Amino acid sequence: SMTMPLVVQVPFVVCTGMHKLCPSFSYDQDTFNDITAPTAILKAEESHGLEEVDVINPAFDYIPPELVTLYITNYGGYNPSYIYRLLAEYYSPEDNELQPFVT
């Protein structure tokens, strides 16, 4: 469960480059995530009797911001409350409005 780190007081540290953080706020797992085929985690021969079960296989894990204890970036370690300030310095305001790439 995603609330387990809160219950047992386990620190959750995110280690990433600033270029991988998005200036747009994600409200839930589906905002920026791709759902992939369930066959990667559930083989066809294992699915007998599970016809009524929906298997959702997100490409990435979504960690709610309130569970993150520390961000370690290429600029150093920061409290989660300071990440928004770093993102404001790293991205221009125009980057907050993401547009689809058109060729």
Side-chain angles (χ1 to χ4, degrees), residues 5-98:
L6 290 175
V7 173
V8 295
Q9 301 290 319
V10 175
F12 189 89
V13 178
V14 173
C15 185
T16 186
M18 284 296 294
H19 67 281
K20 292 198 173 203
L21 296 177
C22 180
S24 299
F25 185 75
S26 174
Y27 294 97
D28 59 13
Q29 175 169 303
D30 299 327
T31 303
F32 297 112
N33 210 341
D34 293 326
I35 302 300
T36 61
T39 55
I41 58 173
L42 182 65
K43 306 298 179 222
E45 58 270 6
E46 297 172 339
S47 64
H48 296 297
L50 300 176
E51 290 79 19
E52 300 297 319
V53 175
D54 290 327
V55 178
I56 299 172
N57 185 19
F60 307 101
D61 287 332
Y62 172 75
I63 307 300
E66 62 270 12
L67 297 183
V68 177
T69 309
L70 179 69
Y71 285 93
I72 299 176
T73 72
N74 46 316
Y75 296 118
Y78 299 98
N79 286 327
S81 61
Y82 193 70
I83 286 296
Y84 294 105
R85 166 125 182 160
L86 286 175
L87 287 172
E89 291 175 8
Y90 192 77
Y91 290 102
S92 72
E94 292 83 29
D95 291 332
N96 290 335
E97 294 297 322
L98 300 175

